[in-house]
Amino acid sequence: MEINRRTLLKSVASIPVALSPINAWGARLDKHVTTGRDKDGQFYAYILDQRGGISEKIALQGRGHGVAYNKSAKKAVLFARRPGRFALAFNPYKPIKITVFEPPIDRHFYGHGVFSKNGNLLFATENDFDGEKGVIGIYDAQNDFQRLGEFDSGGIGPHEIILSQDGKTLIVANGGIATHPDYPRDKLNLADMNPNLSYISINNEAIDLSLSLDASLHQVSLRHLSIDTLGTVWIGGQYQGVKSDQVPLSFTLSHKDKRITPLHVPVKLQAQMKQYVGSVSVNNIAGLAAMSAPRGNKIYLWNLNSQSLIKTISIIDGCGVAVDEDGFLITSGQGQIVSPTHRSTTVGVNWDNHITAL
């Protein structure tokens, strides 16, 4: 596959940005990578430094979405938002070389990917839109992310993909929604959608386990995932049914039990989710799981051991959630950055859906 580099020099530039006092927190944070839009409407990948300020930004040719990161290889890949076709690979600690790559012409990215444990391969969720199925694209992270092939995702509309604790299995949230780039944001099969969670062996590309929700919840599109040290997967969904319905959106899945279980959320707080979970993150050290509900302006925190809801945080349009030293770093479409001890606003930036800790 020929990699299209036409827009690389025009629209991809690494630009150092000085910290302003409003971003200069006293707390020490890990670096994070996120995406957003500036006041002029330009989309960027942003690298946040250990004090929560912008240290670098990389111009994008369109709206970004999720970021995959491998610590040992010091490689990050940012994916375009569906139905985008670009991805950028870079070292977030030294973003001098930017590698831009694309899927085949009859595929597009779904916004997420994950590295193999050793960082040699990248797996990306993609749409085989003519075949009306989801696929996982395989990219060679040691050779400018040349595409090596693909395999079935186990469903339609694969979104977030994560790696099992032992690094042998890919876990894929197949959202169940059929889409086509000719109708970019349209959902084409809401009446008969069938979301599932699939466990796929990296070794033989076989689907070892595929689990769906109860038939009454077939319009809960499973989208976002995170995994704890026990191998329990924390799942966030987005409901595509009647707006007045109240259905569970937060789930866990234990590979041992082989069952997707709804988490208990009080009725009032369930309603405040507005049928939409935007991001999921687990902090194993703090013993917490976080799920964002940007339409309801809430972040929900669960205890990992008891799986009980222990707290909510109010933040307007808060969607991005990632681990930091104290708990979670949260970003909002209003430019806010929030940690357990600090709250700041980045003037002139609207943060997008996701943030990734390095």
Side-chain angles (χ1 to χ4, degrees):
M1 181 190 71
E2 181 181 355
I3 298 177
N4 183 357
R5 303 179 184 273
R6 180 181 59 183
T7 58
L8 177 59
L9 296 178
K10 291 193 299 182
S11 64
V12 180
S14 183
I15 307 168
V17 179
L19 287 173
S20 64
I22 199 165
N23 288 328
W25 296 352
R28 182 178 176 84
L29 301 171
D30 293 332
K31 277 182 174 287
H32 292 78
V33 179
T34 187
T35 63
R37 181 181 60 193
D38 72 3
K39 59 181 176 19
D40 298 319
Q42 171 66 50
F43 295 103
Y44 289 93
Y46 291 92
I47 300 171
L48 305 184
D49 68 15
Q50 292 174 336
R51 299 179 67 189
I54 300 170
S55 62
E56 304 277 349
K57 64 180 182 180
I58 303 169
L60 304 176
Q61 57 188 270
R63 187 173 174 183
H65 197 67
V67 175
Y69 178 64
N70 183 270
K71 186 175 183 178
S72 61
K74 288 187 171 60
K75 292 179 181 177
V77 172
L78 181 147
F79 293 93
R81 179 179 185 248
R82 175 185 71 81
R85 290 180 33 78
F86 68 88
L88 275 71
F90 54 94
N91 178 346
Y93 291 93
K94 198 175 182 180
I96 297 172
K97 178 186 176 183
I98 310 295
T99 301
V100 179
F101 60 98
E102 296 181 345
I105 193 64
D106 56 350
R107 304 285 186 269
H108 68 68
F109 291 125
Y110 266 116
H112 288 275
V114 68
F115 282 92
S116 60
K117 196 168 187 177
N118 61 11
N120 292 340
L121 296 175
L122 176 76
F123 302 96
T125 51
E126 298 176 3
N127 189 10
D128 173 3
F129 43 85
D130 289 331
E132 297 184 346
K133 66 177 183 178
V135 297
I136 307 301
I138 313 167
Y139 294 84
D140 186 350
Q142 295 184 305
N143 187 25
D144 287 335
F145 292 87
Q146 295 286 336
R147 197 173 193 273
L148 301 176
E150 67 180 41
F151 51 87
D152 198 321
S153 75
I156 292 175
H159 198 66
E160 190 153 21
I161 179 172
I162 60 176
L163 196 63
S164 64
Q165 293 288 347
D166 61 10
K168 297 179 180 180
T169 303
L170 297 169
I171 305 170
V172 185
N174 287 296
I177 301 174
T179 62
H180 195 285
D182 288 349
Y183 315 95
R185 302 302 296 175
D186 290 353
K187 302 167 184 178
L188 306 177
N189 67 330
L190 295 185
D192 58 357
M193 57 183 285
N194 181 28
N196 70 58
L197 212 65
S198 291
Y199 285 67
I200 304 173
S201 169
I202 292 177
N203 182 48
N204 60 14
E205 302 172 1
I207 298 172
D208 294 332
L209 178 66
S210 184
L211 295 174
S212 299
L213 298 173
D214 184 85
S216 64
L217 300 177
H218 80 101
Q219 288 186 309
V220 177
S221 180
L222 302 178
R223 294 294 186 91
H224 295 110
L225 309 172
S226 192
I227 191 167
D228 65 26
T229 52
L230 297 177
T232 298
V233 180
W234 295 72
I235 311 160
Q238 299 171 4
Y239 185 57
Q240 308 298 319
V242 178
K243 289 184 177 180
S244 60
D245 289 347
Q246 291 300 322
V247 299
L249 302 173
S250 309
F251 307 87
T252 57
L253 169 59
S254 166
H255 197 179
K256 180 179 179 180
D257 295 338
K258 298 183 179 180
R259 182 179 62 191
I260 300 175
T261 303
L263 290 164
H264 173 69
V265 180
V267 174
K268 182 178 179 180
L269 291 177
Q270 180 70 52
Q272 290 176 4
M273 284 186 169
K274 303 291 186 184
Q275 302 181 333
Y276 189 99
V277 170
S279 189
V280 180
S281 182
V282 164
N283 187 329
N284 287 296
I285 295 175
L288 296 172
M291 297 192 189
S292 65
R295 294 179 180 177
N297 305 316
K298 294 283 187 184
I299 308 295
Y300 294 70
L301 299 182
W302 276 269
N303 179 286
L304 290 184
N305 292 326
S306 65
Q307 297 190 2
S308 57
L309 183 65
I310 59 173
K311 185 179 181 180
T312 63
I313 300 169
S314 296
I315 175 171
I316 296 174
D317 195 23
C319 192
V321 183
V323 173
D324 80 348
E325 291 179 342
D326 301 313
F328 297 98
L329 189 69
I330 303 163
T331 54
S332 87
Q334 303 294 310
Q336 285 190 304
I337 303 177
V338 174
S339 80
T341 57
H342 294 81
R343 187 179 290 253
S344 175
T345 300
T346 307
V347 178
V349 177
N350 303 108
W351 304 117
D352 222 318
N353 297 72
H354 298 292
I355 181 169
T356 298
L358 303 184

